[in-house]
Amino acid sequence: MSRGLFLRVNVCWIAALLLTHLAVASAARAHTCSEVKTAFQLRQVGSLQWVPETPATDVNLLVCKHAGPSCCTRKMEEHYKQAVVRDTVQNIRSYSFELKYLLSGQATAYKDMYQSLFTFSQDHLMSFFENTFPSLSSKIAPHVTSLFSSISNFIQDTSNISVNASVYRFFDHLFPLVHNHIIKPGIAEDNNLAECLRATRQDVNPFGYHAQAMVKELAGAIQAARALTRAFYMGEDLMNITEVAPLTNECAQALLKMQYCPHCQGLTLIRPCPESCLNVMRGCLANMAELDMPWRHYVAILEDLTYTIAAANTLEFALLGVRRNVDEAILRAQVDKARISATVDKVCGQSVAGTQSVHPTTDKMIPTVTYFAPEPPTNQSESNVTKQLGRLSHLRSSLPLKPRKHSKDRSLKQISWQFMKYIARYKAFFVALPDMLCEGEVVRDEPTCWSGNDVVESYKVRVVGNGILAQRQNPEVKVRGPDAMLAAVKERLEHFNQDLQQRMPGLGYRDSWEDLGSGEDSSGECDDEDGCQGSGEYTTKSSDTDLNVDTKVVVKSPPHEAPVGRFKPKLRSAAHVVLPSFTTLILILGQQWTLN
């Protein structure tokens, strides 16, 4: 009896032991690190050999500490930190690339447009000489090329030769040719005489006020174009520098806690709480947020420069006016040739026709008397000259431009409108960047989230603002102070803004852009090809701290396009925006050339 009882007890004990062993084995399988290993591999953090098979309790972690077993090792933690920094920097660069591409693409578009305008205007001027004064065309050609090359280099900020100097140098070289071929045709070529004529052109003033008029027409438009080119370069440099701004060690640790510390507990699918992510990202990018004010000011200046160039086709009219001004200058010299000839004889010595010429030496040709022809007529002879010029100049004057409907070519106005539509969305880029980065990290409306230390239903800690001062209350990231590199960038941007405003007072304070339109013609209609097919409007206003100015930007948005502040513009490639609207110009100028 007792032996049977003993057997029954042993059997029960063995059965209980087997059940316990099976339960332990099942629990062990349920608490492996297989999911962590899979995520470790998918995110390319490091070698799978570093991930343990089962959680351990004797790990020595620095950041991802918690009670209980962990799937992380010290080496995994270090590589997790490297991976999260790498991924965050790549995300920052992806958003910065959109803005940098917008600036560089627009700079290329303007550069190509300028070059097309220069080439067209240069050919326009050369056709005038070839058709009207063929004897001058071969001799003036190098100076025409030099004129437009100098203006192009000045706009591209590769030369400091001003528009004034370029224009006056052209007229200095034009004067000897006009004197020898038009005022006194047939006189012998003489280098001393030519040099004297070039040196005294401003004193003799054979072209009246037309040289000054040409400078005045070109200077404003060219100055704005040069400033816009410099602004694009500045913007590209700024984005290049901010892209490589390093993240601090405190930031890296906060990113690690937010992103990968839950993996150590086997929680590979849980997402950070939105508010926790904002605190981390605003702490990491606190120094970058300090660029907000000068950046807003910079964008406003970009908008003003773009408007100045595009509002009334200023640059196109100025470049097309080169031919008109040269034409009228030569007409003026023809009408006033008696006075010019007498003045030249006094200053440079008398010249005779044929192969002989009598000139004083170079030293004696330096003028001692200055002759000025005032711009407005002040006596009867000047009035008569003006009347004669008025009767003649209309034959070759440029006709007003009007873009043709349904033309697929692009004009400066259309390119500028598209640019202003997109750049307005980036006015708050540096303070909106943390929010954009968090959009890709969090999933809203979930019952639980990761607070940085544990799984919670909601994040109860205060959410701080942007900028260095606001980080004093940041519970996630400790910000030690200003970053030297970004502080230098901020100072450089502020100096750039101030310098442009000193050169062009009033930049950055325009109240409205509605008068620019949206690339339409004067009828108010607009083609889809012009980029103004939008069915709605949106308005953005700068904050009260934005230079204490309420800058209103009204632009049309295409349907289904990202709203302001999302920074997802549908950018066109430069090839789509660089072609100028020349079809109508060619037709107009063809009519002018037939009059010659």
Side-chain angles (χ1 to χ4, degrees):
M1 180 89 180
S2 62
R3 185 175 180 179
L5 179 61
F6 177 76
L7 290 174
R8 286 197 297 271
V9 170
N10 284 342
V11 170
C12 291
W13 182 82
I14 292 172
L17 185 62
L18 289 174
L19 290 174
T20 302
H21 178 74
L22 291 174
V24 171
S26 176
R29 285 195 300 271
H31 291 84
T32 65
C33 297
S34 58
E35 291 184 6
V36 176
K37 182 176 290 188
T38 301
F40 198 82
Q41 182 180 25
L42 290 176
R43 300 198 179 207
Q44 300 179 345
V45 178
S47 174
L48 291 180
Q49 297 177 353
W50 301 337
V51 184
E53 295 295 332
T54 59
T57 57
D58 58 347
V59 292
N60 183 22
L61 302 179
L62 296 178
V63 179
C64 299
K65 299 178 181 180
H66 69 278
S70 174
C71 283
C72 290
T73 64
R74 181 79 170 269
K75 193 170 187 178
M76 285 176 62
E77 188 182 56
E78 183 61 32
H79 282 80
Y80 270 138
K81 185 166 74 169
Q82 295 174 8
V84 74
V85 169
R86 176 198 65 200
D87 294 341
T88 303
V89 170
Q90 287 179 349
N91 290 335
I92 293 173
R93 289 180 178 177
S94 68
Y95 286 109
S96 299
F97 176 79
E98 295 179 0
L99 178 53
K100 186 167 68 172
Y101 177 81
L102 176 62
L103 294 172
S104 63
Q106 197 69 15
T108 301
Y110 273 102
K111 181 178 179 180
D112 292 344
M113 174 63 80
Y114 296 150
Q115 191 57 50
S116 297
L117 288 171
F118 293 146
T119 301
F120 185 84
S121 299
Q122 181 176 330
D123 293 342
H124 186 202
L125 180 57
M126 281 306 304
S127 69
F128 159 71
F129 283 107
E130 290 169 358
N131 295 331
T132 309
F133 302 106
S135 62
L136 300 182
S137 59
S138 61
K139 296 181 176 61
I140 198 62
H143 305 300
V144 171
T145 301
S146 177
L147 170 65
F148 286 98
S149 296
S150 297
I151 295 175
S152 176
N153 293 336
F154 184 77
I155 285 183
Q156 296 306 319
D157 201 21
T158 59
S159 171
N160 290 325
I161 300 177
S162 66
V163 176
N164 301 35
S166 300
V167 171
Y168 290 143
R169 184 176 60 185
F170 170 77
F171 279 103
D172 289 343
H173 289 285
L174 178 63
F175 183 30
L177 297 177
V178 171
H179 178 270
N180 295 346
H181 292 265
I182 298 176
I183 296 176
K184 286 188 176 182
I187 69 169
E189 297 289 340
D190 186 280
N191 291 335
N192 290 334
L193 175 61
E195 185 176 345
C196 177
L197 292 173
R198 284 193 293 270
T200 60
R201 194 269 310 166
Q202 292 188 6
D203 297 322
V204 177
N205 197 23
F207 304 120
Y209 59 88
H210 296 292
Q212 293 91 327
M214 184 166 152
V215 166
K216 185 177 180 181
E217 291 178 13
L218 285 172
I222 297 299
Q223 182 186 21
R226 176 184 170 93
L228 184 60
T229 299
R230 293 180 60 206
F232 283 137
Y233 290 157
M234 180 65 205
E236 291 181 57
D237 288 345
L238 176 67
M239 300 312 300
N240 288 333
I241 294 173
T242 54
E243 275 186 347
V244 298
L247 300 178
T248 64
N249 185 58
E250 290 80 5
C251 166
Q253 291 182 356
L255 290 171
L256 172 61
K257 287 181 62 178
M258 179 186 77
Q259 188 69 42
Y260 285 121
C261 280
H263 287 216
C264 297
Q265 301 181 35
L267 304 173
T268 59
L269 299 180
I270 196 167
R271 295 296 187 94
C273 298
E275 299 82 3
S276 172
C277 181
L278 281 178
N279 276 341
V280 172
M281 292 302 180
R282 287 176 179 177
C284 288
L285 303 178
N287 281 281
M288 203 173 290
E290 293 295 312
L291 295 170
D292 178 57
M293 286 299 295
W295 172 257
R296 288 175 182 267
H297 195 181
Y298 165 81
V299 172
I301 288 175
L302 268 184
E303 292 173 325
D304 268 3
L305 289 172
T306 305
Y307 177 88
T308 300
I309 292 174
N313 303 104
T314 308
L315 185 59
E316 290 98 326
F317 277 116
L319 289 173
L320 287 175
V322 170
R323 168 178 166 150
R324 171 180 49 78
N325 281 302
V326 172
D327 187 0
E328 292 178 353
I330 295 177
L331 285 173
R332 169 62 181 265
Q334 286 178 292
V335 172
D336 203 24
K337 64 181 181 180
R339 182 192 66 82
I340 296 172
S341 180
T343 304
V344 167
D345 288 342
K346 290 180 181 179
V347 176
C348 297
Q350 294 185 351
S351 57
V352 296
T355 59
Q356 298 179 352
S357 61
V358 179
H359 304 295
T361 63
T362 304
D363 294 336
K364 294 180 181 179
M365 287 190 289
I366 299 176
T368 57
V369 180
T370 302
Y371 299 89
F372 292 99
E375 292 187 13
T378 56
N379 52 52
Q380 188 63 33
S381 61
E382 284 291 324
S383 179
N384 292 337
V385 169
T386 303
K387 290 179 180 179
Q388 294 181 58
L389 286 173
R391 288 194 293 268
L392 296 173
S393 61
H394 75 281
L395 296 175
R396 303 191 183 101
S397 60
S398 298
L399 300 179
L401 304 179
K402 182 179 184 296
R404 193 176 75 172
K405 185 75 173 165
H406 305 303
S407 174
K408 294 184 179 180
D409 293 341
R410 295 286 172 179
S411 67
L412 277 176
K413 184 173 183 178
Q414 292 161 345
I415 294 175
S416 301
W417 179 84
Q418 289 179 351
F419 174 67
M420 285 194 293
K421 181 178 69 172
Y422 289 128
I423 195 62
R425 304 176 182 185
Y426 290 91
K427 181 164 283 191
F429 176 77
F430 288 104
V431 292
L433 189 55
D435 299 70
M436 293 187 289
L437 292 171
C438 286
E439 283 184 2
E441 297 294 339
V442 304
V443 176
R444 302 181 185 278
D445 301 326
E446 287 192 351
T448 59
C449 60
W450 179 256
S451 68
N453 296 303
D454 203 355
V455 178
V456 297
E457 294 183 358
S458 62
Y459 187 78
K460 302 297 184 181
V461 186
R462 173 185 177 182
V463 179
V464 301
N466 291 285
I468 294 178
L469 293 179
Q471 306 314 308
R472 294 176 179 176
Q473 307 298 324
N474 195 326
E476 307 295 343
V477 184
K478 183 177 181 180
V479 179
R480 297 186 180 277
D483 178 80
M485 183 177 69
L486 292 177
V489 171
K490 178 183 178 181
E491 183 178 357
R492 180 184 170 194
L493 183 59
E494 290 173 338
H495 178 75
F496 177 83
N497 293 340
Q498 293 171 1
D499 182 61
L500 277 188
Q501 286 192 309
Q502 288 176 358
R503 295 174 184 269
M504 303 178 66
L507 281 180
Y509 298 103
R510 189 174 300 279
D511 293 327
S512 175
W513 309 95
E514 297 181 29
D515 51 343
L516 177 61
S518 54
E520 303 103 317
D521 59 18
S522 57
S523 66
E525 300 176 355
C526 183
D527 292 329
D528 290 348
E529 297 161 350
D530 295 338
C532 46
Q533 69 274 29
S535 57
E537 293 185 352
Y538 55 81
T539 302
T540 64
K541 290 187 177 182
S542 60
S543 64
D544 294 336
T545 59
D546 185 11
L547 306 178
N548 297 322
V549 181
D550 186 14
T551 304
K552 182 180 179 183
V553 182
V554 179
V555 288
K556 296 181 180 179
S557 60
H560 311 299
E561 194 169 20
V564 178
R566 295 300 296 274
F567 307 104
K568 298 179 181 177
K570 301 175 182 178
L571 300 178
R572 295 172 177 256
S573 64
H576 288 83
V577 295
V578 299
L579 295 177
S581 179
F582 288 147
T583 306
T584 304
L585 303 187
I586 294 174
L587 294 175
I588 293 172
L589 298 173
Q591 181 180 359
Q592 296 177 31
W593 297 337
T594 58
L595 295 176
N596 298 331

